[in-house]
Amino acid sequence: MNNLSVRTILIILVVKKVLNNMYEKKIPFDLNCDIKITMEIISGKWKCCIISRLHERPMRPSEIHREFPSATPRVLNQQLKELEYHRIINKKIYPTLPPHSEYSLTPAGESLLPIIEMLRKWGDGYRDEFKEILGVK
């Protein structure tokens, strides 16, 4: 076995360990409510933005971080892990030296795009009223 394949196996093991150590919620999740399922997937300050950007093209983690400079790396990484865990995005790890990875949308992620577009349009239409509520010009 050459060093490249050992490195690839190690990366895969680390990714599996990270996914297995995700935060476990104390309150059982209600799988009977469709809206709660959807909100579980897309709730998070940056998730819809990430999904929208990945629709344009697959991106490396560093590119995603540059797209959202006001987001902390910790929060972005956590939300990327959650999206991957929920099978909304796919993380492909390239067995190169140095190794690099790339995120892309899965078919389930693509199916969320109309919902995200509707959220975008609603926000655009509500912007002026929201500014008024906040007292912003």
Side-chain angles (χ1 to χ4, degrees), residues 116-129:
I116 293 169
E117 179 60 18
M118 289 174 65
L119 288 169
R120 189 198 64 73
K121 285 181 181 178
W122 187 89
D124 186 45
Y126 195 68
R127 178 180 285 116
D128 291 339
E129 187 169 343

Side-chain angles (χ1 to χ4, degrees), residues 49-103:
C49 298
I50 292 168
I51 293 167
S52 182
R53 286 294 193 273
L54 289 177
H55 172 60
E56 297 167 9
R57 65 183 173 85
M59 298 176 83
R60 294 176 69 166
S62 59
E63 294 174 306
I64 294 171
H65 286 267
R66 280 194 296 274
E67 285 287 321
F68 309 108
S70 61
T72 64
R74 181 181 173 276
V75 169
L76 274 181
N77 289 337
Q78 181 63 35
Q79 293 192 359
L80 285 166
K81 286 177 197 170
E82 290 174 9
L83 288 168
E84 184 181 10
Y85 178 77
H86 290 124
R87 300 180 184 164
I88 302 303
I89 63 174
N90 182 49
K91 182 178 183 179
K92 181 175 183 180
I93 300 172
Y94 292 92
T96 59
L97 289 176
H100 75 274
S101 60
E102 188 175 80
Y103 289 100

